[in-house]
Amino acid sequence: MPDLFGDETPAGYVQVAVERGIDRYPDGLTYALPPDMGSVAAGQRVLVPLGRGDRPTPGYIIETLVQPDLDPSRIKFVARRDDAEPALPEGLVALARWIASYYVAPVGMTLAAMLPAPVKHGIGRVVQTLIDLAPAGAAAPGRRSKQQRRVVEVLTALAPADRPVEIRDLAARAELRTTGSIKRLVEQGVLVATTRSTIQSAWASRAVDMFVPERLTPEQQQVFDAIAPTLDDGFAVHLLYGVTGSGKTEVYVRLIERVLAAGKVALVLVPEISLTPQTGGRLVARFPDRRVAILHSGLSAAQRHRQWAAVASGEAEIILGARSAVFAPVADGRIGLIIVDEEHDGSYKQDQVPRYHGRDVAIRRAQLEACPVLLGSATPAMESWHHATETGRYRLHTMEQRVPGTALPRVMLVDFAEQMKQYRDRRVHLIGPTLRGALIRTLDEGGQALLLLNRRGYANYIACADHGCGWLMTCDDCDTTMVYHVNRRLPDGGYVRCHHCGTENRLPKSCPMCGTRIVTFGLGTQRVEEELARIDTRLREGGSMMRVDSDTMHGARDYHAVLDRFAREELKVLVGTQMIAKGLDFPNVRLVGVINADTAINLPDFRAAERTFQLVSQVAGRCGRGSSGGLAIVQSFATQTPAIALAAAHDYRSFAASELEARARYRLPPHARMARILVRDADLPTCVSIAHGVRDRLDGLRSTLGLDAGPGAVRLRGPMPCPIARIAARHRQQVEVLAPGPGPLQRLLAAARAAGWLTPGESIAVDVDPMSLL
């Protein structure tokens, strides 16, 4: 091996985490530095030879070494350093190593996830040629053309601070059609040219809310007075429980003002930036003289690169983004405050390696940066509420009144079954008489409405009309039913789709078992849209209704366009999935209708009640934000279910107390820590065998580590089939690991990882602190 690299004497050694799913070396691979490479530091991106074929592979330096533990003659040299982008701050490298350890993920893949793909690939990067006057006496003597003299005159007239000038801009100022005259002046030594790499993109901010209250409400002032004096006191976690419309955003803004005044940077996380354009608009409007960087996938690749570069260069003072914005490359020691808005939202959980939770990573980053973190929600996660009210790890602040001029909406909880009995025809009705009447009145009075049904498509059951046959259309590759979607442009009028693997087929014309006709029943947003068009012709003919779900919204731009139309009141009704439950603040929304509050309540997941409460509470809170008040009508087949009844009563405290009591009784999070090990294979016996092997090995490690008894005992459940036992032609088994705290859980997982058999990949996925058990 040494002869491949000559007899060079290394300038030093480094540990490199390569961008591959290699988990055998959690501390990275050792490489030597060529003598001519110069100084390097943790966070620097490099290219290294990997494997027997020495394939050039990108990676990150995670540590510099004085002397390696290996034989130096067997160590390969780093191929080259990638200087296209600045190195990641050392704090981010430390955060990546924590994520890799806690969430059982290769550190190289974790670091790779921190750098957006457009940045890695240099998308939007261009080389600019900048022109300036040459030093006196540098120019060769000779005659100049009229165009050349004009170029020199333009540059001479500019102040030194306004030079150099980009070559095409200079040509335009000198009224030249081409840059030829400028290039000849450079050749003659009259002008000097330098090149600079930059990222070109355009980004239009949306300043949607220019209102600035004269003074804070008493509750807002109390929260501000409690947090602001502690901003310089180091790490702390604050939980702000504020009902919808209580003005949490205004508190955020005032705290950001204090952070900026201290010369620090504010990092603001929201669940899905493409669904909350108002947040970005408010920050841009309130801080017109400050650079606000927006980090999210809804931007073009070049825009994402430009925003990331603005953060890395220190130009941005406020950073706003979704989950991955927690990896913003802010220089070490510069972050003054991290805000996690709607901290309860499941969108903060990443569903691919590394399977991190954005809220918890934000807390860890704040700890590394020695700054406070503020979590805000009207329906805090059970984990956050537990730490704020029981363990004392978080400091609780409350705002339980809406801002003046608004009031919490009146909520009517109606029995769906009783409502349907009032209809005499045989049509399928998803909108009961109570909601129907309220909708018509709202439209007559010039108001707007939001209707929520957290299920896409037209019908979620496709079956044989003959009850004696019993045929039901399911996906060939998943253990789930197919969903019918209407599409009038197709000859059959629609198609069927699996919402888990994406398979699409034509709707059968008859039952494949007995030849009887096919019926479609169930519910979906398309069916609600169809019924609304029958209820009020104004919605059908005036184009004043829009369906908002992932079938109609193909990106952030589509959603922003719909919200713009809704803000201008061109649209009167939005019907959609949970997308419309997040981040909407429109004063003319007077009615919210929940078509069926029961869609998730009976799922085999211990978080089902919590998610149902949060969804109903959040969507109900979208109305009543103007002077006209608001009404929320919740249709349910189970009106006595605590999660639904307490959400309708705006009683979060009672729900949280009841839910935490139940979790404690069954020793479930947050009264325990959980990891879910998911095994997948196309062959069922193989899948079951691998899952049993995982369980048996964990049992052995548990005994070896002394974690099978006593106060630190770790419990194992399974293996067992997942609630959805097959997705995309792969069978699924799971083993659940529960521990009284993070320490015992991490000891067991670390030992399994070190043994080399608990490695995330195609067959095995490890999800620490899972948000879904389906």
Side-chain angles (χ1 to χ4, degrees):
M1 187 66 66
D3 58 335
L4 293 176
F5 306 99
D7 297 325
E8 292 180 299
T9 301
Y13 298 90
V14 290
Q15 293 295 107
V16 176
V18 294
E19 292 185 15
R20 293 290 185 272
I22 299 175
D23 203 38
R24 290 176 58 191
Y25 307 100
D27 294 324
L29 300 171
T30 304
Y31 285 90
L33 294 173
D36 59 349
M37 180 161 286
S39 62
V40 296
Q44 178 73 55
R45 196 164 187 253
V46 293
L47 203 68
V48 296
L50 183 66
R52 293 181 180 178
D54 292 328
R55 183 173 182 176
T57 305
Y60 295 86
I61 295 173
I62 58 175
E63 188 178 356
T64 56
L65 305 173
V66 176
Q67 190 65 34
D69 295 331
L70 306 174
D71 178 1
S73 66
R74 299 180 56 83
I75 299 175
K76 301 178 184 180
F77 279 84
V78 173
R80 65 178 175 86
R81 185 171 56 189
D82 182 0
D83 290 322
E85 298 296 337
L88 293 175
E90 290 190 16
L92 273 186
V93 176
L95 183 66
R97 299 184 77 167
W98 176 82
I99 291 172
S101 172
Y102 184 81
Y103 290 104
V104 191
V107 66
M109 294 182 68
T110 303
L111 280 161
M114 292 182 166
L115 197 69
V119 178
K120 294 178 192 173
H121 301 144
I123 296 176
R125 180 172 293 281
V126 297
V127 176
Q128 290 185 334
T129 301
L130 304 177
I131 306 297
D132 203 348
L133 295 169
R143 298 181 61 184
R144 315 287 180 224
S145 68
K146 180 180 179 181
Q147 290 88 347
Q148 291 174 334
R149 291 197 300 271
R150 190 182 308 140
V151 170
V152 174
E153 289 171 359
V154 169
L155 274 176
T156 304
L158 292 175
D162 295 330
R163 303 195 312 260
V165 180
E166 201 276 325
I167 188 169
R168 285 167 296 184
D169 182 25
L170 178 57
R173 296 187 188 203
E175 300 178 352
L176 303 181
R177 292 185 178 181
T178 68
T179 59
S181 296
I182 301 174
K183 292 177 180 177
R184 283 190 291 273
L185 286 171
V186 173
E187 294 171 358
Q188 296 167 7
V190 178
L191 305 179
V192 291
T194 57
T195 58
R196 181 179 65 190
S197 182
T198 186
I199 301 97
Q200 289 189 340
S201 66
W203 180 75
S205 62
R206 24 181 84 235
V208 297
D209 185 5
M210 299 295 292
F211 174 72
V212 180
E214 292 185 6
R215 62 180 64 87
L216 297 176
T217 68
E219 285 186 324
Q220 288 174 327
Q221 190 67 55
Q222 184 176 12
V223 173
F224 177 80
D225 291 342
I227 298 176
T230 70
L231 291 176
D232 296 327
D233 293 347
F235 171 69
V237 184
H238 301 271
L239 174 64
L240 174 53
Y241 161 52
V243 299
T244 57
S246 60
K248 293 185 290 294
T249 302
E250 186 60 32
V251 174
Y252 300 160
V253 169
R254 299 297 177 100
L255 290 172
I256 290 172
E257 287 177 345
R258 186 66 64 90
V259 169
L260 298 183
K264 294 294 188 74
V265 170
L267 173 59
V268 183
L269 302 183
V270 291
E272 298 176 52
I273 189 66
S274 61
L275 304 184
T276 51
Q278 291 176 318
T279 306
R282 283 173 178 160
L283 290 175
V284 171
R286 292 292 293 272
F287 299 99
D289 299 325
R290 303 282 191 168
R291 177 61 190 270
V292 180
I294 311 291
L295 302 177
H296 72 94
S297 58
L299 301 173
S300 70
Q303 288 168 342
R304 293 180 69 189
H305 193 174
R306 177 70 189 96
Q307 298 294 310
W308 192 92
V311 176
S313 67
E315 178 185 350
E317 297 170 284
I318 303 171
I319 299 124
L320 170 69
R323 177 180 60 229
S324 61
V326 74
F327 303 134
V330 183
D332 295 327
R334 290 273 293 136
I335 299 179
L337 174 66
I338 300 177
I339 296 171
V340 184
D341 193 26
E342 307 295 355
E343 61 85 28
H344 67 277
D345 199 286
S347 300
Y348 282 118
K349 180 69 170 176
Q350 168 90 348
D351 60 1
Q352 295 177 337
V353 176
R355 299 175 188 273
Y356 67 92
H357 196 297
R359 177 198 62 219
D360 297 338
V361 172
I363 293 172
R364 177 60 176 170
R365 185 164 192 190
Q367 189 175 32
L368 291 171
E369 297 282 351
C371 75
V373 58
L374 173 59
L375 315 178
S377 177
T379 54
M382 289 298 101
E383 288 81 357
S384 300
W385 191 252
H386 172 66
H387 288 313
T389 61
E390 297 183 15
T391 70
R393 295 178 185 174
Y394 299 174
R395 303 176 189 177
L396 179 63
H397 312 273
T398 61
M399 299 195 310
E400 303 191 54
Q401 299 294 323
R402 280 196 163 184
V403 297
T406 64
L408 284 170
R410 183 169 61 95
V411 180
M412 292 181 61
L413 187 57
V414 297
D415 189 310
F416 208 168
E418 292 299 321
Q419 289 279 300
M420 294 305 106
K421 291 179 182 178
Q422 299 181 36
Y423 287 114
R424 302 302 178 188
D425 57 30
R426 300 188 62 182
R427 276 180 167 169
V428 174
H429 291 276
L430 300 181
I431 299 175
T434 301
L435 180 55
R436 176 191 179 110
L439 177 61
I440 293 173
R441 286 193 301 274
T442 298
L443 295 175
D444 288 342
E445 295 168 0
Q448 293 172 287
L450 300 174
L451 299 182
L452 169 77
L453 176 60
N454 205 24
R455 184 166 289 165
R456 293 182 291 132
Y458 185 85
N460 59 325
Y461 288 98
I462 304 162
C464 177
D466 184 351
H467 295 293
C469 172
W471 176 81
L472 180 68
M473 188 173 188
T474 58
C475 177
D476 292 337
D477 295 324
C478 306
D479 289 348
T480 56
T481 59
M482 299 292 276
V483 178
Y484 178 57
H485 288 253
V486 172
N487 188 334
R488 304 301 182 195
R489 294 173 293 181
L490 297 178
D492 296 333
Y495 59 94
V496 296
R497 174 188 289 167
C498 174
H499 285 181
H500 294 277
C501 72
T503 296
E504 294 182 356
N505 291 313
R506 299 178 65 176
L507 180 69
K509 295 186 181 299
S510 59
C511 173
M513 300 292 291
C514 68
T516 306
R517 68 184 177 88
I518 295 292
V519 295
T520 59
F521 58 99
L523 66 170
T525 51
Q526 285 187 321
R527 185 161 246 160
V528 176
E529 183 182 35
E530 180 183 80
E531 187 170 349
L532 286 170
R534 293 199 305 265
I535 288 176
D536 197 313
T537 57
R538 290 173 293 185
L539 299 177
R540 180 177 67 249
E541 297 170 357
S544 57
M545 171 179 60
M546 181 66 72
R547 178 164 51 91
V548 180
D549 55 31
S550 58
D551 294 328
T552 58
M553 303 292 107
H554 302 298
R557 184 172 300 178
D558 292 340
Y559 193 78
H560 293 171
V562 168
L563 292 190
D564 286 343
R565 292 185 62 197
F566 197 66
R568 295 193 299 267
E569 300 187 22
E570 294 175 10
L571 293 173
K572 294 297 184 180
V573 176
L574 296 184
V575 52
T577 57
Q578 61 180 346
M579 294 175 76
I580 65 173
K582 302 177 183 179
L584 302 188
D585 185 359
F586 296 103
N588 198 35
V589 174
R590 305 178 193 178
L591 174 68
V592 163
V594 179
I595 302 299
N596 185 357
D598 313 329
T599 53
I601 192 66
N602 293 316
L603 292 176
D605 190 326
F606 72 91
R607 298 186 192 274
E610 179 182 2
R611 281 196 289 266
T612 297
F613 179 93
Q614 289 167 345
L615 186 60
V616 173
S617 296
Q618 290 286 338
V619 73
R622 299 307 108 199
C623 68
R625 292 173 176 251
S627 57
S628 55
L631 171 65
I633 297 176
V634 180
Q635 299 181 151
S636 171
F637 287 106
T639 56
Q640 300 306 310
T641 301
I644 296 172
L646 292 172
H650 304 296
D651 192 353
Y652 171 80
R653 289 180 179 273
S654 295
F655 170 77
S658 172
E659 185 70 9
L660 286 175
E661 181 183 358
R663 302 270 187 96
R665 188 182 315 126
Y666 297 106
R667 294 187 292 170
L668 290 169
H671 294 285
R673 288 298 182 98
M674 174 184 281
R676 182 189 188 216
I677 301 174
L678 177 65
V679 178
R680 301 166 291 199
D681 198 274
D683 180 66
L684 179 57
T686 300
C687 186
V688 172
S689 176
I690 295 173
H692 277 280
V694 168
R695 164 68 192 243
D696 292 344
R697 288 189 179 100
L698 286 174
D699 255 334
L701 280 176
R702 190 172 57 152
S703 178
T704 301
L705 297 172
L707 296 175
D708 54 346
V714 174
R715 293 173 289 142
L716 300 178
R717 303 202 307 191
M720 52 193 168
C722 297
I724 303 177
R726 190 170 57 106
I727 293 178
R730 292 198 296 175
H731 298 276
R732 308 166 76 239
Q733 296 273 318
Q734 66 182 12
V735 176
E736 294 176 359
V737 186
L738 292 115
L745 179 64
Q746 287 296 309
R747 283 184 62 200
L748 182 62
L749 294 179
R753 191 179 181 187
W757 54 264
L758 190 63
T759 302
E762 284 296 313
S763 298
I764 294 180
V766 182
D767 191 2
V768 178
D769 300 333
M771 294 299 292
S772 173
L773 299 182
L774 299 182

